[in-house]
Amino acid sequence: LYNIFRNQAADTRKRLEIEERTGRARSENQSTRRLIEVDIPRTFTSTSLFKKNGPLYDKLMEVLETYACYRPDVGYVQGMSYLSGILMLYMELSLIHISEPTRQAEISY
């Protein structure tokens, strides 16, 4: 189920990037993505894990976008990044693989 909505979120992200380049009117999905982009760097600012180039930024963005697609009636609500972030931080370390050269995080389930 997660993969289905993750793929839907990826498709939505691609569509929004095209809309931004062509200058189309803002959609509800676009404003949701902007809210997420603004909130993630504010998540646990004492660490660099969730900053724009941090190792968990992209994974947290993926989780939040996926949830917004899964529950469009809820979408994204400010503070969800903290809840998701804390869950990511407390996952078993064996599930989170951070490669130092690229500083990208891979989470395998």
Side-chain angles (χ1 to χ4, degrees):
L1 188 61
Y2 179 80
N3 288 331
I4 292 169
F5 286 102
R6 183 182 68 186
N7 291 336
Q8 183 180 346
D11 292 343
T12 301
R13 185 179 329 110
K14 288 176 190 173
R15 185 175 44 78
L16 292 176
E17 289 170 358
I18 292 169
E19 285 179 8
E20 286 178 1
R21 281 185 294 213
T22 60
R24 290 187 185 173
R26 294 183 67 195
S27 66
E28 185 177 321
N29 289 330
Q30 195 172 23
S31 58
T32 296
R33 180 168 168 78
R34 289 193 195 284
L35 285 172
I36 295 171
E37 287 176 340
V38 168
D39 264 3
I40 290 179
R42 298 179 189 169
T43 305
F44 302 109
T45 56
S46 61
T47 74
S48 61
L49 293 172
F50 301 108
K51 292 191 189 304
K52 184 73 172 170
N53 294 319
L56 295 177
Y57 178 89
D58 290 333
K59 185 51 75 173
L60 185 57
M61 174 69 86
E62 177 185 304
V63 167
L64 295 172
E65 286 178 334
T66 300
Y67 184 80
C69 284
Y70 175 66
R71 289 292 307 269
D73 57 321
V74 176
Y76 176 76
V77 179
Q78 188 174 16
M80 283 183 174
S81 61
Y82 281 97
L83 177 60
S84 299
I86 197 80
L87 292 172
M88 292 176 87
L89 292 174
Y90 279 96
M91 290 174 65
E92 284 186 50
L93 291 177
S94 64
L95 297 178
I96 301 178
H97 308 284
I98 301 174
S99 61
E100 277 304 311
T102 61
R103 297 192 49 87
Q104 294 295 313
E106 294 180 24
I107 300 177
S108 53
Y109 296 96

